[in-house]
Amino acid sequence: MFANIAKKIFGSRNDRLLKQYQKIVNKINALEQQIKALSDEALQAKTAEFKQRLSNGETLDDILPEAFAVCREASVRTLGMRHFDVQLIGGMVLHNGKIAEMRTGEGKTLVGTLAVYLNALSGKGVHVVTVNDYLAERDAGIMAPLYNFLGLSVGVILSNQEPFYRQSAYNSDITYGTNNEFGFDYLRDNMVTDQYDKVQRELNFAVVDEVDSILIDEARTPLIISGQADDNIELYKIMNQVPPMLHRQDKEDGDGDYWVDEKNHQVTLSEKGHEHAEDILARLGLLQDGDSLYSTGNIMLMHHLMAALRAHSLFHLDQHYVIKPNDEGQPEIVIVDEHTGRLMDGRRWSEGLHQAVEAKEGVEIKRENQTLASITFQNYFRLYTKLSGMTGTADTEAYEFQSIYNLETVIIPTNKPIQRKDYNDQIFRTAEEKYEAVIKDIKECHQKGQPVLVGTTTIENSELVSRLLNQAGLAHNVLNAKEHHREALIVAQAGKPAMITVATNMAGRGTDIVLGGNVKHQADAIRADETLSESEKERQIKLLEDNWEADHKRVMEAGGLHIIGTERHESRRIDNQLRGRAGRQGDLGSSRFYLSFEDPLLRLFALDRAAAILDRLAPERGVPIEAGILTRQIENAQRKVEGRNFDMRKQVLEYDDVANDQRKVIYHQRNEILTSTDISDIVREMREEVLGNLVDVHMPADSMEEQWDIPALEAILESEFRLRAHIQEWLKSDNSLENEDVKELLLKLVETEYANKVALVGQDQFSGFERNVVLQTIDMNWREHLAAMDYLRQGIHLRGYAQKNPKQEYKREAFEMFQNLWRTVRYNATALLVSVEVQPYEDVETIEQSMPQMYTHHADAPDMQTVLGESRDDLAREALQPVANENDANQPDYSLTAMDAMGKVVHRNDPCPCGSGLKYKQCHGKLG
């Protein structure tokens, strides 16, 4: 009560922020005439002036009013669009590192230009993050004229783009791309063995479009770079036969072999089910008679069985995935994003689930993957110095944005009042009755020329509605994951009179639905037609515009765009996204949701109380219920699901935070090594620590001689380090030697041998070799550590049965594993560097014959005095490249053209033939 009184007196936090921003808007508007009077050259010169003022000590906030005024005027001159006052407020919200909630059609793409331009003046780069390649390329193409006019460069990151183009895009002032590409580039940059192969700069400022889709919906999906692991493909095929032989339980404690918990998306075997499964596996030859699925040797069988059960029970074709041909024309499983309905090409489920689905559908089974590097979107986006976002629906998730990302949500008022009518939900007993009512509503709208957008939650439902519309003789467009290539065209024309569009979840479609149809798309097609004369193009475009006026008027008279939801989504936010497609910029519109008691949301989360209400109201067949109490009950069910999903995302984050802290340490150490010209001091410390620990283990300090195990120490030094250290002879010749004395003598022996190797090869080359060895040792052990962390994470919940906190246990064990990781890295790297042999140059031909072609000595390279010889690891082979003396002024032409003329082939990653020791792409290849 007191909170409500205070809110009435002082206004809400949102109201107070809007008042503060309005004061700055007044300052920007006061500058408009002054900025408008500038010539193009004078306006463009403002960018250089702003940069100079920033270098003189002014802040971005100091120049904000003038920079926004300049950006608005430049937009008018280049794009023909002037920012509304509410859009200026949105730009300030983004600049301040907050989330701007703006209704659909309020021009979020244009709002972003204000904050992007201002922050790009710092020279540290700005990332604009979108949900797919199409939107990234489209938005960059639309906004590039504005940024280029103001002297800023624009780059776009797309999937399957070459590293050279990525580097160029990241070095631009403004970089557009998808959340996946930004995240994967971060991971790839922390796997390179040459700092020149990195593509990203520092993570300075990001504007995330459709921020709720990226930071909420995809938060539980980690980005994983993986390589194929050894796996038994045949096992998935055999295990696929088991689920059809087991019987599903009707209820949790009912009769049967397994229970499917649809709420929590889990499958549980009953005791009877275990016995039945063991009998089946024994018949299939996977299990010995009398053996248990829970015995140590059968853990993988249990893993494969549960994956097969989940694939058959919880993952359904045209809902969770589709089958489509790949580039070779072979059918493959492609995951469908449950929130946006988009196809997620290239993504695969982990833990053998994807292989189980492939076996179920009879497509080619690909090997299971091993994680090489991973990060969640939550932790990736928290790496930015400043993060902001914009969407039409963030308020329902405001608490999560604040608690996870420290992002405040500011609701921006619309430019014009909303005129959309949101009707009460209509609830039916059965899905059949519901769809009959949906088709009836569509028919009524179609007859009066009103465009209709029908929203469904799955591809399966969208195709069901499509079949019903075909039966009713109603022409329509279907927009789902199978039609994603026609997405923009379908959405653009969804506002034409009597147009019927059926779509899966409308999140992030990114194209305005203009009442009367989108003339711009059609006009662009006419302008691009080279067969038409200029006069004919103008005539056709004029005709389009005239027809649009009539169509627009007809649609407005019919009531604007009508939204029909065929069921409620688990999240209110997705429902609001669908509703928000109507009523843009003060347009007329309406919306209504049709539900049934067979819908998953009501069946799983609201059935008990809703069924009791239904029994009291008891309508006859085909008569809907429109009761406020029932609508509130459904909203409460949605809140429950949202809360549960938030808890799940939070739990994923809490566990990933442990790995994230370790990731930061690994990447920091790796970058230090990568950028250092000489790591000999680091390597020396590693040698001292590793060899010192070995001596401590076999000759503990302050212990009796009888407790020493000198033969074992000598054997390890011989086998692991190729060191012939005659420690027993040292002790015989001087029986006063202690632990520290032996360490000193041992290190002296190692340093002497090490110095001889360096002298043969040269310090610069050996330093490069050391760096490669340490980096690749870190990478190899980090991969194994990630796999071990995954296994630990999967089973840690069992500690709860021992009255222990699983999260605390996970943190404790993960810390111990991380300490072991560093010990292993130091030991392996030291063992390799100490044991490597350097051989004279005359043995090089013999060595090269055993090397892969990619490592052979370059024909035109100057002679080396020495070359790295036999090693315990192939890492050594690539490390030492020939280094020439300083090139004189008359050096030969090493361009690709000249090399081709000489009949020599040079690849980008080959050593440069000039002998600099650099890769060709980093030396003479740069000129090409």
Side-chain angles (χ1 to χ4, degrees):
M1 184 179 73
F2 291 113
N4 290 334
I5 294 170
K7 189 174 178 180
K8 286 179 181 177
I9 298 171
F10 302 108
S12 66
R13 161 80 177 164
N14 202 79
D15 295 336
R16 294 195 298 275
L17 283 173
L18 292 177
K19 283 180 182 176
Q20 292 173 19
Y21 292 136
Q22 187 59 48
K23 292 175 184 176
I24 304 173
V25 168
N26 296 338
K27 291 181 183 178
I28 298 167
N29 289 337
L31 292 167
E32 186 167 14
Q33 293 307 316
Q34 175 189 335
I35 299 295
K36 192 177 282 189
L38 297 174
S39 64
D40 283 357
E41 294 75 16
L43 188 64
Q44 290 167 328
K46 280 289 184 181
T47 297
E49 178 194 321
F50 291 145
K51 289 182 178 180
Q52 184 60 47
R53 285 165 61 181
L54 289 172
S55 63
N56 292 342
E58 288 192 59
T59 66
L60 292 174
D61 289 335
D62 294 333
I63 64 171
L64 185 149
E66 200 171 344
F68 274 31
V70 166
C71 185
R72 177 158 71 177
E73 180 58 27
S75 174
V76 172
R77 298 187 191 186
T78 57
L79 307 176
M81 293 186 282
R82 178 185 176 277
H83 297 79
F84 304 130
D85 285 0
V86 290
Q87 289 176 314
L88 295 177
I89 291 174
M92 284 181 268
V93 169
L94 296 179
H95 166 67
N96 288 336
K98 293 178 169 58
I99 292 174
E101 180 182 294
M102 302 183 72
R103 299 275 183 169
T104 300
E106 291 294 305
K108 289 189 286 290
T109 308
L110 190 62
V111 167
T113 59
L114 297 162
V116 167
Y117 171 66
L118 175 62
N119 284 270
L121 295 171
S122 67
K124 295 178 182 177
V126 175
H127 293 172
V128 183
V129 187
T130 64
V131 291
N132 60 35
D133 282 349
Y134 163 73
L135 290 176
E137 200 166 15
R138 186 204 70 174
D139 291 354
I142 292 173
M143 297 304 164
L146 165 60
Y147 297 128
N148 293 338
F149 177 82
L150 291 170
L152 299 177
S153 55
V154 180
V156 187
I157 303 295
L158 302 172
S159 53
N160 302 318
Q161 202 172 37
E162 288 293 318
F164 172 78
Y165 296 107
R166 287 178 182 271
Q167 281 180 330
S168 175
Y170 279 115
N171 287 326
S172 302
D173 296 304
I174 300 150
T175 309
Y176 282 81
T178 66
N179 48 321
N180 290 337
E181 293 305 315
F182 284 123
F184 280 131
D185 283 337
Y186 170 75
L187 292 176
R188 281 190 286 259
D189 275 0
N190 284 287
M191 295 172 70
V192 299
T193 55
D194 188 327
Q195 62 174 321
Y196 296 106
D197 290 334
K198 284 193 166 192
V199 296
Q200 278 189 346
R201 292 194 285 167
E202 62 179 309
L203 301 178
N204 173 46
F205 175 54
V207 176
V208 184
D209 195 7
E210 300 297 345
V211 66
D212 53 337
S213 178
I214 292 172
L215 297 189
I216 301 291
D217 295 339
E218 300 202 33
R220 284 173 57 203
T221 307
L223 290 172
I224 298 174
I225 292 179
S226 57
Q228 287 192 344
D230 292 332
D231 204 19
N232 187 355
I233 299 301
E234 290 304 314
L235 186 55
Y236 289 105
K237 294 179 181 176
I238 298 172
M239 199 61 77
N240 186 55
Q241 302 171 35
V242 179
M245 300 183 195
L246 297 174
H247 304 293
R248 179 171 171 170
Q249 296 170 237
D250 293 329
K251 51 186 180 179
E252 191 169 359
D253 54 353
D255 190 41
D257 296 322
Y258 64 96
W259 162 246
V260 180
D261 184 352
E262 292 182 77
K263 267 190 193 180
N264 297 310
H265 216 58
Q266 291 178 349
V267 179
T268 311
L269 273 174
S270 65
E271 193 149 342
K272 178 185 172 185
H274 280 114
E275 294 172 5
H276 194 182
E278 285 170 355
D279 290 341
I280 294 169
L281 292 174
R283 290 203 304 273
L284 293 172
L286 295 178
L287 204 64
Q288 293 183 355
D289 286 332
D291 202 353
S292 169
L293 267 173
Y294 284 108
S295 63
T296 309
N298 297 325
I299 288 175
M300 287 308 295
L301 279 181
M302 190 67 189
H303 168 79
H304 281 77
L305 174 61
M306 296 312 294
L309 277 171
R310 292 184 71 209
H312 279 261
S313 307
L314 294 170
F315 291 83
H316 306 296
L317 181 65
D318 286 344
Q319 181 176 347
H320 300 100
Y321 62 90
V322 297
I323 299 174
K324 60 171 274 195
N326 58 19
D327 295 338
E328 289 78 37
Q330 299 299 316
E332 67 174 4
I333 302 294
V334 181
I335 300 172
V336 175
D337 188 324
E338 63 176 306
H339 300 288
T340 63
R342 298 180 188 279
L343 291 182
M344 299 196 287
D345 288 298
R347 286 204 189 177
R348 293 176 66 80
W349 288 303
S350 59
E351 299 175 18
L353 177 60
H354 208 98
Q355 287 76 10
V357 173
E358 286 169 334
K360 169 188 162 187
E361 296 296 345
V363 303
E364 182 191 355
I365 301 173
K366 296 176 183 173
R367 285 185 177 181
E368 202 168 337
N369 291 329
Q370 175 192 6
T371 300
L372 306 182
S374 74
I375 192 170
T376 59
F377 284 123
Q378 293 161 316
N379 277 320
Y380 171 71
F381 282 106
R382 293 196 300 182
L383 293 170
Y384 280 88
T385 306
K386 184 165 67 174
L387 178 66
S388 65
M390 47 191 177
T391 179
T393 48
D395 192 42
T396 56
E397 314 290 349
Y399 176 73
E400 182 167 353
F401 282 123
Q402 184 69 58
S403 59
I404 301 293
Y405 303 99
N406 198 27
L407 286 172
E408 184 177 7
T409 301
V410 180
I411 301 171
I412 313 294
T414 55
N415 184 49
K416 294 179 181 177
I418 296 173
Q419 297 192 57
R420 186 185 68 239
K421 294 178 182 177
D422 296 326
Y423 295 107
N424 285 334
D425 298 352
Q426 288 197 350
I427 304 159
F428 296 83
R429 279 186 178 275
T430 65
E432 185 183 353
E433 295 172 58
K434 174 183 75 174
Y435 284 115
E436 285 175 4
V438 167
I439 300 302
K440 182 183 176 186
D441 194 356
I442 294 171
K443 275 183 180 175
E444 289 173 359
C445 293
H446 186 71
Q447 286 167 0
K448 61 182 180 181
Q450 186 176 15
V452 181
L453 175 64
V454 185
T456 66
T457 56
T458 65
I459 299 170
E460 189 179 19
N461 287 347
S462 68
E463 292 181 344
L464 169 61
V465 173
S466 178
R467 286 197 299 273
L468 294 173
L469 288 170
N470 285 333
Q471 290 170 13
L474 295 171
H476 60 280
N477 284 320
V478 179
L479 174 57
N480 58 34
K482 294 181 176 180
E483 303 288 339
H484 64 99
H485 55 285
R486 296 175 56 223
E487 179 177 302
L489 184 63
I490 292 174
V491 174
Q493 304 309 328
K496 295 187 80 170
M499 180 65 74
I500 302 170
T501 309
V502 183
T504 50
N505 301 325
M506 290 296 298
R509 295 295 178 195
T511 306
D512 276 338
I513 298 176
V514 180
L515 300 189
N518 194 320
V519 175
K520 185 179 181 299
H521 276 69
Q522 295 167 290
D524 288 344
I526 293 171
R527 291 190 184 99
D529 190 345
E530 296 178 358
T531 62
L532 300 176
S533 65
E534 289 301 317
S535 58
E536 179 61 18
K537 289 178 183 178
E538 291 301 320
R539 189 189 71 77
Q540 289 193 19
I541 291 171
K542 179 71 169 59
L543 187 63
L544 271 178
E545 290 170 348
D546 291 345
N547 289 341
W548 179 84
E549 289 288 346
D551 286 346
H552 179 74
K553 184 179 179 183
R554 184 182 168 195
V555 171
M556 291 292 279
E557 287 172 353
L561 179 66
H562 182 52
I563 304 290
I564 294 177
T566 58
E567 62 183 89
R568 288 276 195 171
H569 196 272
E570 287 184 355
S571 170
R572 290 170 294 162
R573 182 168 44 82
I574 308 295
D575 293 341
N576 292 339
Q577 285 170 354
L578 177 61
R579 269 206 172 111
R581 305 305 298 187
R584 63 179 288 281
Q585 286 294 325
D587 285 343
L588 294 175
S590 56
S591 71
R592 188 191 292 278
F593 279 81
Y594 290 86
L595 315 176
S596 81
F597 283 95
E598 294 177 1
D599 292 349
L601 181 72
L602 273 69
R603 183 167 54 83
L604 296 175
F605 297 99
L607 183 60
D608 297 338
R609 294 189 64 185
I613 296 167
L614 177 66
D615 288 337
R616 284 202 299 273
L617 298 173
E620 59 189 68
R621 189 188 187 286
V623 177
I625 306 168
E626 285 189 54
I629 187 171
L630 203 49
T631 302
R632 286 194 296 275
Q633 185 65 32
I634 293 164
E635 286 182 358
N636 286 337
Q638 288 177 304
R639 286 194 185 92
K640 276 187 211 169
V641 181
E642 288 166 0
R644 187 199 63 165
N645 289 341
F646 170 53
D647 289 340
M648 291 166 72
R649 287 189 291 266
K650 192 175 180 184
Q651 185 167 345
V652 167
L653 181 63
E654 285 172 350
Y655 279 102
D656 191 61
D657 276 344
V658 177
N660 194 51
D661 292 338
Q662 297 178 0
R663 188 186 299 115
K664 286 177 182 175
V665 173
I666 285 281
Y667 287 174
H668 175 73
Q669 187 75 41
R670 205 180 181 286
N671 283 328
E672 275 193 356
I673 294 168
L674 194 66
T675 55
S676 299
T677 54
D678 183 5
I679 64 164
S680 55
D681 289 340
I682 297 173
V683 173
R684 188 178 298 109
E685 286 176 16
M686 288 166 55
R687 279 199 302 271
E688 290 175 1
E689 182 183 335
V690 170
L691 295 173
N693 287 342
L694 273 176
V695 174
D696 287 338
V697 169
H698 295 89
M699 292 180 61
D702 303 323
S703 63
M704 304 291 289
E705 280 190 39
E706 290 77 10
Q707 296 173 288
W708 295 355
D709 191 354
I710 304 303
L713 176 58
E714 288 181 342
I716 287 176
L717 292 171
E718 171 74 30
S719 62
E720 296 287 328
F721 299 85
R722 294 186 182 175
L723 277 175
R724 294 171 183 84
H726 305 294
I727 300 173
Q728 294 183 79
E729 293 181 13
W730 298 347
L731 293 170
K732 283 178 185 176
S733 61
D734 185 355
N735 58 15
S736 65
L737 292 178
E738 296 289 340
N739 174 289
E740 291 299 322
D741 302 317
V742 172
K743 285 182 186 177
E744 193 175 324
L745 288 168
L746 189 57
L747 286 169
K748 189 175 180 181
L749 173 65
V750 173
E751 294 294 344
T752 303
E753 289 197 12
Y754 217 75
N756 292 337
K757 294 173 187 176
V758 174
L760 281 169
V761 180
Q763 182 62 57
D764 289 344
Q765 287 184 315
F766 207 85
S767 291
F769 170 62
E770 286 177 323
R771 186 184 302 107
N772 274 358
V773 166
V774 174
L775 286 175
Q776 295 193 35
T777 304
I778 289 173
D779 291 346
M780 182 178 67
N781 285 280
W782 177 240
R783 288 199 295 269
E784 292 175 1
H785 178 74
L786 286 175
M789 292 276 282
D790 281 343
Y791 287 129
L792 176 66
R793 170 76 181 84
Q794 288 170 24
I796 201 70
H797 66 279
L798 297 172
R799 304 285 176 92
Y801 293 113
Q803 303 301 309
K804 292 180 179 178
N805 185 327
K807 288 176 191 170
Q808 292 302 322
E809 288 289 298
Y810 181 76
K811 288 177 182 178
R812 183 181 59 78
E813 291 217 15
F815 179 69
E816 290 176 7
M817 288 166 61
F818 192 62
Q819 287 182 310
N820 289 334
L821 165 69
W822 274 119
R823 280 194 288 267
T824 306
V825 166
R826 288 191 285 263
Y827 186 90
N828 290 350
T830 301
L832 180 57
L833 290 170
V834 171
S835 64
V836 69
E837 293 179 7
V838 176
Q839 296 182 352
Y841 178 69
E842 47 265 25
D843 293 338
V844 71
E845 292 183 3
T846 309
I847 297 165
E848 285 183 346
Q849 287 171 7
S850 65
M851 289 184 183
Q853 186 63 35
M854 64 180 288
Y855 297 121
T856 54
H857 186 63
H858 202 287
D860 292 331
D863 285 350
M864 290 175 64
Q865 295 303 310
T866 55
V867 68
L868 180 70
E870 183 184 358
S871 164
R872 292 193 330 159
D873 196 298
D874 288 341
L875 301 175
R877 293 175 178 165
E878 190 183 17
L880 299 178
Q881 301 288 358
V883 177
N885 296 324
E886 288 292 321
N887 298 322
D888 58 32
N890 300 315
Q891 67 172 354
D893 183 1
Y894 292 111
S895 68
L896 281 178
T897 309
M899 298 305 292
D900 285 343
M902 289 187 280
K904 295 181 173 61
V905 178
V906 181
H907 299 289
R908 294 179 71 243
N909 289 312
D910 286 346
C912 189
C914 74
S916 66
L918 296 174
K919 292 180 182 178
Y920 183 70
K921 66 182 179 184
Q922 293 154 8
C923 192
H924 283 80
K926 271 190 176 180
L927 303 176

